[in-house]
Amino acid sequence: MSETPRTPGHADAPAASDAPPGIDTRVPHSARIWNYWLGGKDNYPVDREAGEAFRALYPEIVEIARYSRVFLGRAMRYLVEDAGIRQFLDIGTGLPAVETTHQLAQRLAPETRVVYVDNDPLVLAHARALLVGTPEGATDYVDADLRDPDHILKAAAGTLDLSRPVGVMLMGVMGHIPDDEEALAIVRRLMAALPSGSHLTLYDGTDVGEAAHAAQDDYNEGGAVPYILRSRERLARFFDGLELVEPGLVSLPRWRPEIAEPEERDEMNAAGAVARKP
């Protein structure tokens, strides 16, 4: 694989007492748990405990976390090299543990402009310190909630030219919006504001198997922001009115695998796609 995260729980992970002001280390947080599964160090004991409890019920989650980054890398190569996208709006940024959207995009096209969106204080602190773009391009951060697409668009317009095509990235975040109609309305509002040639890249967890449901239910009852699993049919609705890029909505390992990257498996409980606005 092109990305090999470190083993979860390495020695550099901080203790709760090291948390910056305003960070609640008593309740697990999805971005920090995901960071833990990817081998990052920006997590706390409560996150590692929740991550291990989830992993015990559903070991596949660590592999899903890894393939989510592989999918991001493959999608970015397509969007930059084939679709010619030079502007990205990455909503639900999370905490960096491996290569991020702007690093992937600006390596291929240094002039690319990227706006990250999240509303977590820890993510904000890291974004300001670490998400530094190339001199030719630009990288910015918007402190905003996924549920407020109008605010996101208004703030992003300070860095992005919304009259030109934009790549919208919604990577593993729509499960935090449990109501289908509200979730669909958010995606449609974002895409409606962007011109033809813009692209939506989205993946989320799928609701296949008792183990996945058991782990997710246990996680949701632990005090973190709940996350729901959707069927692939429900995920497909996010792409209504858009033109799916081949191979369409598929299990993450099946989205444009590289010949040099033989897949360890074909199916997992996470599906994603890239689609173009006509």
Side-chain angles (χ1 to χ4, degrees):
M1 302 305 301
S2 59
E3 300 178 60
T4 306
R6 293 166 289 182
T7 301
H10 62 85
D12 293 332
S17 58
D18 299 325
I23 302 298
D24 188 352
T25 61
R26 298 168 299 175
V27 177
H29 189 285
S30 61
R32 301 193 309 247
I33 294 171
W34 204 256
N35 176 266
Y36 171 65
W37 285 331
L38 284 169
K41 62 181 181 179
D42 300 306
N43 49 76
Y44 299 98
V46 67
D47 307 305
R48 299 191 281 276
E49 181 179 346
E52 281 304 307
F54 197 112
R55 187 182 188 186
L57 291 171
Y58 187 53
E60 184 182 14
I61 190 61
V62 175
E63 196 171 10
I64 288 175
R66 181 164 65 102
Y67 269 104
S68 74
R69 309 312 294 178
V70 173
F71 173 62
L72 172 63
R74 293 172 180 172
M76 292 304 298
R77 284 195 292 273
Y78 170 80
L79 291 164
V80 175
E81 295 182 338
D82 297 345
I85 300 295
R86 295 295 183 270
Q87 304 185 108
F88 291 92
L89 182 58
D90 186 339
I91 304 173
T93 307
L95 292 163
V98 289
E99 287 191 306
T100 58
T101 297
H102 81 278
Q103 291 171 326
L104 292 163
Q106 292 177 351
R107 181 180 303 123
L108 298 169
E111 71 276 18
T112 301
R113 305 174 76 82
V114 178
V115 171
Y116 291 101
V117 180
D118 211 300
N119 66 341
D120 178 76
L122 186 61
V123 174
L124 175 60
H126 279 271
R128 287 173 172 163
L130 301 176
L131 301 184
V132 179
T134 59
E136 303 94 328
T139 306
D140 199 5
Y141 181 92
V142 172
D143 186 6
D145 194 300
L146 172 62
R147 291 176 173 83
D148 193 354
D150 289 324
H151 174 61
I152 290 172
L153 290 163
K154 182 178 179 180
T159 301
L160 307 181
D161 179 356
L162 302 188
S163 69
R164 301 176 58 197
V166 175
V168 176
M169 317 298 288
L170 292 167
M171 309 294 278
V173 298
M174 296 313 298
H176 290 303
I177 310 295
D179 181 79
D180 279 12
E181 294 309 314
E182 181 184 6
L184 290 167
I186 290 169
V187 174
R188 289 168 184 166
R189 175 69 188 97
L190 289 168
M191 298 308 296
L194 303 176
S196 173
S198 295
H199 284 67
L200 171 65
T201 302
L202 181 151
Y203 90 85
D204 253 309
T206 51
D207 63 350
V208 179
E210 293 182 4
H213 278 288
Q216 197 62 60
D217 289 345
D218 184 72
Y219 170 86
N220 290 345
E221 293 169 2
V225 177
Y227 182 94
I228 69 158
L229 302 173
R230 289 184 167 95
S231 67
R232 196 170 295 185
E233 291 73 24
R234 290 165 69 192
L235 289 181
R237 295 184 63 197
F238 288 119
F239 300 97
D240 286 350
L242 305 176
E243 299 170 346
L244 284 168
V245 173
E246 289 294 332
L249 179 62
V250 295
S251 178
L252 295 186
R254 292 190 171 189
W255 203 87
R256 299 194 169 214
E258 300 290 337
I259 294 175
E261 297 177 352
E263 297 306 322
E264 298 171 10
R265 61 184 302 158
D266 288 328
E267 287 295 329
M268 60 174 46
N269 285 351
V274 177
R276 179 184 183 276
K277 181 176 179 178

